[in-house]
């Protein structure tokens, strides 16, 4: 599926743009929202008692489904495709790598500012009014769980110019090196840290040392691998494979995945392998890129319709807002349900399952209304002049942005981390010359 494979697209599509990639990005985010809805099992039992559970995770089919439904590797593959296209345009405009990174930082950090401000205020108020800390932690950790994406995506985007140069010089050897590094990190974490040192997972409260912290380097190795796969997708490597070869990549990929998780340490659920990411996510990136290419023809046919293009554009123009705000909106809507004297289906019951698609539409509609104001943060203006002449200021800004997000993912969202994340994000935008926050 090359960037030139667009001859059948309508004239309204930008020249050289493969709209199936836009469909994939939108589909990934909508699926993430729906999965999170299935995780938030809040309702009333037969006796009227409050039930809070991760409903879908208790289903017998969940682990198997996660091998297909965990599409976050595909998001990084598509991001790699977009980064390669964006870098070519930047080079044509004679933009620097520093400018390229500053634009990507603004696109991620600006939408995060109102979210971190909301979290800081909400969690601060919860402290002041004395809400049960255990209940607040349960809700806060849930709504903060998707934030890992901000740090991971920023890391790979910041490294994209360098990784593209390596891709052009060394091609597949870069993939092999990144995958080998991911395996080394996994082995160190599971075998040495877990078995030899006996270090337990991160404690549920506080900021102690836990086994997961030793897997943090794979945020770079694994997701850079997925981005490199996106470079190959852009170059047309997957498009030049025959359908039996692509199908073979999918089959061999799943066999390799089975072999990895059989070794021990890895989770049989792909959700459990997402944070910190393990080498299984790298394997899934190849599988999903191959599957996307296999499906290119029917997806392209869908995207030739005006209805599909309109829906993809409408959602795609607010993609970061939907991703960042859908869980807070889910929790707010559930809170409203609990406060009103209306019947709520028991989580896991037939009525609960049948009403989940309707709840998805309600959540997306509520986020859409919210986006009418928040969309201003989605479109990042061209960065202004750097505050400091040295390009190292951009590196510092990237670190300021990602460090508190990684801490939130490792330890869970709380008031101090939300406040620090807000301050660091604003500082990162200021450092890189963002014209407005």
């Amino acid at each position: 599926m090359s960037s030139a494979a667009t001859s059948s697209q309508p004239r309204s599509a930008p020249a050289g743009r493969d709209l199936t990639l836009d469909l994939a990005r939108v589909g990934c985010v909508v699926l993430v929202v729906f999965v999170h809805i299935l995780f938030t099992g809040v309702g009333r039992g037969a006796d009227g008692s409050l039930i809070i559970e991760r409903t879908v995770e208790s289903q017998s089919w969940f682990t198997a489904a996660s091998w297909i439904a965990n599409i976050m590797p595909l998001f990084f593959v598509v991001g790699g495709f977009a980064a390669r296209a964006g870098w070519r345009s930047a080079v044509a405009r004679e933009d620097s790598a520093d400018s390229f990174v500053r634009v990507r930082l603004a696109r991620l950090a600006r939408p995060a500012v109102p979210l971190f401000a909301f979290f800081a205020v909400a969690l601060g108020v919860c402290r002041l009014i004395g809400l049960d800390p255990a209940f607040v932690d349960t809700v806060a950790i849930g709504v903060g769980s998707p934030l890992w994406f901000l740090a991971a995506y920023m890391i790979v985007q910041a490294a994209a110019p360098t990784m593209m140069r390596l891709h052009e010089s060394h091609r597949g050897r870069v993939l092999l090196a990144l995958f080998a590094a991911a395996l080394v990190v996994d082995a160190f974490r599971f075998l040495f840290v877990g078995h030899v040192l006996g270090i337990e997972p991160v404690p549920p409260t506080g900021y102690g040392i836990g086994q997961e912290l030793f897997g943090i380097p794979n945020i770079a190795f694994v997701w850079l691998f997925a981005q490199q796969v996106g470079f190959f997708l852009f170059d047309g490597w997957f498009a030049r494979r025959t359908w039996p070869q692509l199908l073979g990549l999918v089959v061999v990929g799943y066999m390799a995945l089975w072999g990895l998780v059989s070794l021990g340490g890895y989770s049989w659920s792909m959700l459990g392998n997402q944070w910190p990411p393990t080498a299984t996510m790298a394997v899934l990136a190849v599988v999903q890129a191959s599957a996307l290419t296999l499906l290119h023809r029917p997806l392209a046919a869908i995207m030739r319709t005006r209805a599909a293009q309109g829906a993809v554009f409408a959602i795609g123009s607010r993609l970061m807002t939907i991703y960042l705000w859908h869980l807070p909106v889910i929790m707010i809507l559930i809170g409203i349900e609990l406060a009103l004297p209306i019947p709520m289906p028991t989580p896991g019951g037939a009525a609960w399952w049948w009403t989940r698609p309707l709840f998805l539409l309600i959540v997306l509609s509520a986020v859409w209304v919210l986006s009418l104001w928040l969309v201003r943060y989605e479109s990042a203006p061209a960065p202004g002049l750097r505050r400091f002449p040295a390009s190292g200021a951009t590196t510092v800004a990237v670190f300021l942005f990602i460090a508190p997000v990684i801490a939130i993912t490792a330890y869970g969202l709380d008031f101090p981390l939300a406040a620090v994340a807000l301050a660091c994000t604003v500082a990162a935008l200021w450092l890189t010359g963002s014209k407005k926050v």
Side-chain angles (χ1 to χ4, degrees), residues 183-309:
L183 288 174
V184 169
V185 171
D186 288 345
F188 179 76
R189 173 190 167 193
F190 295 135
L191 298 178
F192 183 72
V193 176
H195 289 290
V196 176
L197 299 182
I199 295 179
E200 298 293 327
V202 170
T205 57
Y207 302 102
I209 297 295
Q211 186 190 117
E212 300 95 322
L213 301 184
F214 296 89
I216 284 178
N218 267 351
I219 297 176
F221 296 137
V222 168
W223 299 127
L224 284 174
F225 180 99
Q227 179 177 253
Q228 292 289 129
V229 173
F231 296 164
F232 279 93
L233 188 68
F234 181 89
D235 294 343
W237 186 91
F238 286 89
R240 291 191 295 272
R241 309 278 81 79
T242 63
W243 76 262
Q245 289 174 324
L246 291 169
L247 189 59
L249 281 173
V250 173
V251 172
V252 171
Y254 274 122
M255 289 175 62
L257 206 58
W258 185 278
L260 273 177
V261 298
S262 299
L263 294 175
Y266 297 102
S267 170
W268 281 92
S269 165
M270 288 303 111
L271 183 68
N273 291 314
Q274 187 169 277
W275 172 261
T278 67
T280 59
M281 294 292 102
V283 176
L284 270 182
V286 177
V287 169
Q288 291 171 359
S290 303
L292 182 65
T293 309
L294 279 169
L295 295 171
H296 184 266
R297 182 170 294 179
L299 293 179
I302 292 172
M303 287 308 297
R304 282 194 291 270
T305 65
R306 296 294 182 185
Q309 288 187 20

